Amino acid sequence: MIKSFLKYTFSTLLAAALLYWAIDKSDLRWNDIYLTFQQANYTWVGISLLIALISHIFRALRWEQLLGAMHYYPGTTRTLSAVLIGYFANFLVPRMGEVSRCGSLQKTADIPFEKSFGTVITERIVDLLGLVLLVGLTFLVEWKPIQQFLFPNFKLPSALTLAGLASGAIAILALLWVKKGALLDRWGYFTTNTGIGKKIQGWVLGISSIQEVSNPGKFIIYSIAIWIAYFANTYALFLAFPVSESLGLSAALTVLVMGTFGMATPTQGGIGAYHSLVASALGFYLLPLKEATLLATFFHGTQMALILLLGGLSFLLTLFLPKKHAHVNE
């Protein structure tokens, strides 16, 4: 109990400190935020919120596939409600979303908590892989503004240096291939006898469980569609403001990646961290810090309002949904 209280207190203080730092360094005033909300094109804001809802539906459909691999079929209404409750919980207590969504399905669909939680871990691993790919794509297409902002004196290595690095990498791969038997034995010992090894092995098994879903191709499509919806949501918010409507698709990709890192920090709903990282990302495109922080505040605020509204409604819905026995024997 004391540990949970301390963790919650730490995350709250961290969120408050990061938010204060982001607002203070950009010299924002309440009137600036008020004027920003007045200037927004709410047609595009509405479109962005609709796209955000679609992304949550895709996530629910993807989760249904993982649950279906264990022969649990709660239905989209219960699954989507659980997803939204999970997002809602993350705005109250960091990292409570996963626990809350699984608890919701246990209540409404009689799915054992530990089984649904295993599928959530699989989801998180897949999301992490997607984020890694997005980071690589962002550096590939937006290297110039990122390099000018973060590494202004950076120069690419010479061709000879690159050739040497490539040769070294090939030599290391060849050595690993020759020693693969001994390495596999050590890997087996590591994953069997150490706590970290067991956790890593669990991640590997989580990824491999995707093969058990009824339609792996559909699972992959849903995973891609989630990120596409996140990207489209970000770009729609760009179009809501004159100062950002000309930044382009690649800038939206950069903001999406930085915002995702912000939301992953151990604060309620990424508060503070999201504002700082997204404002910094907009700075890559020479947007003044004040305007960048105002946009970050608006982006986060609209998404938070949607989650609190839909999550609250989902929680109320679960109070009236009849309990369903979702397990179906093979």
Side-chain angles (χ1 to χ4, degrees), residues 102 118-119 132 141 166 196 199 204-205 222 226 229 236 262 272 281 294 312 320:
C102 296
T119 61
V132 169
V141 302
I196 296 177
K199 183 175 290 188
V204 174
L205 292 175
Y222 285 147
I226 289 169
L294 284 169
F320 299 98

Side-chain angles (χ1 to χ4, degrees), residues 51-115:
I51 295 170
L53 175 59
I54 291 172
S55 75
H56 303 326
I57 294 172
F58 281 138
R59 184 170 291 279
L61 292 172
R62 186 181 69 171
W63 194 21
E64 279 189 323
Q65 283 203 289
L66 291 174
L67 294 168
M70 297 185 296
H71 311 291
Y72 288 102
Y73 303 95
T76 305
T77 299
R78 289 170 174 79
T79 310
L80 178 60
S81 295
V83 167
L84 293 171
I85 288 171
Y87 283 129
F88 181 90
N90 273 336
F91 273 100
L92 301 178
V93 182
R95 302 293 175 266
M96 272 297 293
E98 289 78 3
V99 175
S100 299
R101 63 191 273 195
C102 296
S104 175
L105 275 193
Q106 186 175 33
K107 177 181 180 298
T108 61
D110 198 26
I111 298 178
F113 179 90
E114 64 276 4
K115 292 189 176 182

